[in-house]
Amino acid sequence: MASVGDLGRKLDKEAVTMASEDIAKLAESLARTQVGGGQLSFKGKSLKLNTAEDAQEVIKEIEAFDGLEALRFEGNTVGVEAAKVIAKALEKKSELKRCHWSDMFTGRLRSEIPPALISLGEALITAGAQLVELDLSDNAFGPDGVRGFEALLKSSACFTLQELKLNNCGMGIGGGKILAAALTECHRKSSALGKPLALKVFVAGRNRLENDGATALAEAFGIIGTLEEIHMPQNGINHPGVTALAQAFAANSLLRVINLNDNTFTEKGAVAMAETLKILRQVEVINFGDCLVRSRGALAIAEAVKEGLHRLKELNLSFCEIKRDAALAIAEAVEDRSDLEKLDLNGNALGEEGCEQLQEILEGFSMAHTLASLSDDEGEDEEEEEEDDVEEEEEEEEEEEEEEEEEEEEEEEEEEELQRGQGEEVTTPPKKILETHVGEPASTLCSPSDVATFLAFPSPEKLLRLGAKSSVLIAQQTDTSDPEKVVLAFLKISSVFKDDLAVKTAVQEAVDALMKKAFGSTSFNPNAFITRLLIHMGLLKSEDKIKAIPSLYGPVMVLNHMAQQDYFPKTLTPVLLAFMTKPNRALESCSYARHNLLQTLHHV
């Protein structure tokens, strides 16, 4: 029989246990409602939510979370049915302000993403949410995906939006135009209520917006006028698009961060941007690295820095083909910029003496600590300076001619894309790659020397100028018994790939002719080909010192086409699948292309 003391100790123990359980429940409740500003996170859990049943645990947590202000879904994969039931749970979450929904459709078909986004968007509208941040980055949804959240952007749920992040989504020109129109409409509707949209942060890098997409967005930026940060790197924007953006930036006097890394300014774009920089007073970070501003563009930017930009903290003009004198002008311009933390002029053409002079100038200002490494300096060649100026003028004149020629065709394609999005039937007349005179054989338009020039210095324009027989001649001029030579030819052709119909068709036809000939030869080794290709793409290590190609977008898009052809050996599918599935930083910049290729490989 237990003593009174034993019984007392037992009751005390049970009381402690009960108290511990209560404290645990209370802690869990506090964590949900208070910690992290009302944030519920499923980030990085690798959840595969296909059906309504799969999403039940997620729904329970959402429903039980009082005062939900931020919902994180990064690093999961949500299907259409799961999205519908999650959306239902969100219809009662009126306090939701931040949607961190990047990388939440991993492995999904492109056709699945728009309806999933529509369901989630409608739920936010129904809930009466007033969003502050919407992040849909790293979802390869393409132009159609933009339609998935178009209604949300136009609704009252986004009248309060401050941060919109759409990095690496493959929106393309069509998606950029749809997005621009939605933002403009959002501003119009919110202004009518006396509280205009005051967007502060816009992120849309790696989206293939090109000039037309950038120009459409520039019009929206000019109307909004409240932007503080704009990040649009790696979008294939040339000087017309850069000039349009510069004009729009001028209307956003609060701009602090401008990141247009890895677009193509040339002198015209750089001068236009420099004029805008002269009137902006809040700019802290300028990233024009790898933008080909060249010396004359750099001099214009130096003048802008000298005249203003007193809050400048970071200036990146790396890998821009800037010569010594222009680089020194930049250094002299940053005098008295006491807030400057970093000046990056690496990868230009200063030469050893120029690098020393640059350091001396900055040391004289006690600012040597701001200078980034110059380890990749290209060296100085004074004889080339005059030639470079002439070449630059010729290139810009050629660009203008090409843009005028392609403008009508691009407009037709975008109209078709928009019509498809609206469910309209589109009939497209066959397009000619290059017009020929009646009775003139196409082969006279293309000579072996023309093909050699294209393979040495490939560009979309050169490929189109080769004419109808280009694919045959490229295949004839390539030694298809040598896998390395076939790989190099494949990479040269695919490097000029773009979504323009004429260019895409020409690239695919050239690759088809080349690879059909190669794979059809009994002496050709397909395994050696794929191995060498993966090495050149930077996806497979090799003892050979081979520099990986800078962009994988074109090759991956062309591989997607090639994998669907009858000539493609199905034995190579598992190899490609393994390397495309494996995490690799080199593939991060082309998630849209990678997604398409993975879909193809899973179905062949």
Side-chain angles (χ1 to χ4, degrees):
M1 186 175 177
S3 66
V4 174
D6 291 337
L7 183 59
R9 282 190 291 274
K10 183 178 180 183
L11 289 171
D12 287 344
K13 187 176 181 181
E14 287 177 355
V16 169
T17 302
M18 289 174 67
S20 298
E21 290 174 354
D22 290 341
I23 290 169
K25 288 178 181 177
L26 179 61
E28 183 181 358
S29 175
L30 287 171
R32 283 181 172 173
T33 58
Q34 296 176 17
V35 177
Q39 176 174 282
L40 177 59
S41 177
F42 300 98
K43 183 179 179 179
K45 292 190 175 183
S46 300
L47 301 174
K48 295 181 179 179
L49 310 178
N50 298 318
T51 64
E53 188 177 350
D54 294 338
Q56 287 309 305
E57 288 302 316
V58 169
I59 292 168
K60 286 179 183 176
E61 291 201 48
I62 292 173
E63 290 176 340
F65 199 113
D66 293 328
L68 180 63
E69 293 183 12
L71 180 60
R72 307 196 77 102
F73 257 119
E74 306 103 308
N76 298 288
T77 178
V78 181
V80 176
E81 294 306 313
K84 285 180 181 178
V85 291
I86 292 172
K88 198 69 179 172
L90 290 176
E91 287 180 359
K92 298 177 182 178
K93 301 298 176 182
S94 61
E95 295 178 30
L96 187 60
K97 292 179 175 63
R98 299 184 183 274
C99 298
H100 302 280
W101 293 350
S102 64
D103 190 23
M104 66 176 282
F105 298 109
T106 306
R108 295 288 166 188
L109 297 173
R110 275 183 63 187
S111 59
E112 292 181 89
I113 301 176
L117 287 172
I118 288 170
S119 295
L120 295 168
E122 287 176 349
L124 298 176
I125 296 169
T126 301
Q130 293 187 314
L131 295 186
V132 172
E133 180 179 0
L134 177 61
D135 186 356
L136 292 170
S137 300
D138 300 315
N139 291 308
F141 46 58
D144 292 341
V146 183
R147 291 205 177 277
F149 60 93
E150 179 185 13
L152 173 63
L153 281 181
K154 292 179 178 179
S155 75
S156 59
C158 285
F159 288 178
T160 51
L161 196 64
Q162 294 180 13
E163 300 181 32
L164 179 59
K165 300 174 182 178
L166 299 166
N167 201 54
N168 198 27
C169 292
M171 290 190 291
I173 295 170
K177 288 183 175 181
I178 297 168
L179 176 61
L183 288 172
T184 302
E185 181 68 1
C186 180
H187 185 273
R188 186 190 68 78
K189 286 182 174 179
S190 56
S191 296
L193 296 176
K195 292 184 178 180
L197 171 68
L199 192 67
K200 294 180 179 180
V201 178
F202 180 82
V203 181
R206 296 175 178 175
N207 269 294
R208 302 176 292 110
L209 294 169
E210 300 183 19
N211 290 333
D212 287 352
T215 300
L217 285 166
E219 291 177 11
F221 296 161
I223 292 169
I224 294 168
T226 55
L227 284 156
E228 297 179 14
E229 293 186 28
I230 296 178
H231 303 262
M232 296 174 67
Q234 295 183 15
N235 269 300
I237 307 170
N238 298 326
H239 71 80
V242 172
T243 300
L245 287 171
Q247 293 168 351
F249 293 173
N252 289 265
S253 60
L254 299 177
L255 263 179
R256 293 183 298 103
V257 179
I258 304 174
N259 177 7
L260 293 176
N261 187 283
D262 200 8
N263 289 292
T264 308
F265 282 36
T266 64
E267 180 194 356
K268 288 186 178 180
V271 169
M273 193 60 70
E275 288 302 310
T276 288
L277 291 175
K278 289 178 181 179
I279 64 173
L280 295 176
R281 295 286 177 262
Q282 309 298 322
V283 176
E284 297 176 1
V285 177
I286 296 172
N287 186 346
F288 296 159
D290 204 13
C291 281
L292 204 67
V293 303
R294 292 183 171 140
S295 294
R296 284 184 288 182
L299 288 170
I301 292 171
E303 185 182 344
V305 173
K306 200 167 187 177
E307 289 185 16
L309 301 179
H310 296 289
R311 298 188 178 188
L312 190 63
K313 293 181 179 179
E314 182 176 333
L315 176 58
N316 184 349
L317 292 173
S318 59
F319 299 93
C320 281
E321 293 191 7
I322 299 170
K323 305 294 183 183
R324 179 181 60 183
D325 291 347
L328 297 182
I330 290 286
E332 289 169 353
V334 300
E335 183 183 7
D336 298 329
R337 297 298 173 270
S338 56
D339 291 336
L340 191 69
E341 297 170 1
K342 185 178 181 181
L343 174 62
D344 194 345
L345 290 166
N346 195 22
N348 289 300
L350 282 65
E352 187 175 344
E353 185 180 342
C355 290
E356 290 174 0
Q357 289 176 324
L358 183 65
Q359 290 169 328
E360 286 172 6
I361 290 172
L362 292 171
E363 283 172 3
F365 304 150
S366 299
M367 297 176 70
H369 64 282
T370 66
L371 185 62
S373 168
L374 297 171
S375 58
D376 293 317
D377 187 73
E378 296 289 337
E380 185 179 32
D381 190 343
E382 293 180 3
E383 292 179 4
E384 286 186 3
E385 286 190 21
E386 220 171 283
E387 293 177 12
D388 286 349
D389 289 342
V390 174
E391 282 178 15
E392 185 176 333
E393 288 175 5
E394 289 176 352
E395 282 176 18
E396 290 184 349
E397 285 173 9
E398 191 175 311
E399 272 179 23
E400 287 176 359
E401 289 173 7
E402 287 160 3
E403 281 157 11
E404 286 173 8
E405 289 171 4
E406 292 174 7
E407 190 176 47
E408 288 185 12
E409 185 177 320
E410 286 178 356
E411 286 176 1
E412 287 172 12
E413 287 176 25
E414 292 310 317
E415 183 66 29
E416 290 165 15
E417 191 169 3
L418 291 170
Q419 286 174 2
R420 288 191 186 96
Q422 295 163 359
E424 296 178 16
E425 186 179 347
V426 180
T427 55
T428 308
K431 297 189 179 181
K432 297 178 182 178
I433 292 176
L434 188 66
E435 289 185 358
T436 60
H437 296 292
V438 177
E440 179 186 2
S443 58
T444 61
L445 297 174
C446 180
S447 68
S449 61
D450 293 330
V451 173
T453 301
F454 165 73
L455 291 173
F457 306 101
S459 74
E461 295 73 34
K462 287 176 186 172
L463 180 60
L464 292 180
R465 288 185 192 127
L466 292 179
K469 294 290 184 181
S470 60
S471 57
V472 176
L473 282 176
I474 290 172
Q476 287 175 350
Q477 288 200 36
T478 304
D479 180 3
T480 51
S481 65
D482 186 342
E484 177 70 9
K485 290 179 180 177
V486 174
V487 166
L488 293 175
F490 172 87
L491 291 174
K492 293 285 188 181
I493 299 166
S494 61
S495 70
V496 306
F497 180 92
K498 57 190 292 190
D499 290 332
D500 174 83
L501 182 60
V503 176
K504 180 164 66 173
T505 301
V507 168
Q508 290 174 349
E509 288 177 354
V511 166
D512 285 343
L514 174 68
M515 300 314 303
K516 192 172 183 178
K517 179 185 174 186
F519 288 133
S521 171
T522 54
S523 61
F524 186 71
N525 186 337
N527 292 323
F529 165 79
I530 204 70
T531 299
R532 300 302 298 172
L533 180 60
L534 291 168
I535 290 170
H536 280 278
M537 291 174 71
L539 305 179
L540 180 63
K541 291 182 179 179
S542 169
E543 293 180 1
D544 303 333
K545 291 185 179 179
I546 294 176
K547 187 177 181 180
I549 57 175
S551 173
L552 296 185
Y553 178 74
V556 175
M557 288 296 283
V558 176
L559 275 173
N560 179 47
H561 166 78
M562 194 168 78
Q564 299 174 57
Q565 309 310 310
D566 292 337
Y567 63 72
F568 182 74
K570 304 309 177 194
T571 54
L572 299 182
T573 300
V575 181
L576 269 180
L577 195 56
F579 281 91
M580 288 296 122
T581 307
K582 185 179 178 182
N584 193 305
R585 289 186 67 185
L587 289 167
E588 289 178 4
S589 62
C590 61
S591 64
Y592 169 76
R594 179 190 196 182
H595 176 78
N596 285 350
L597 177 55
L598 283 172
Q599 279 186 238
T600 297
L601 294 173
H602 279 298
H603 290 91
V604 294

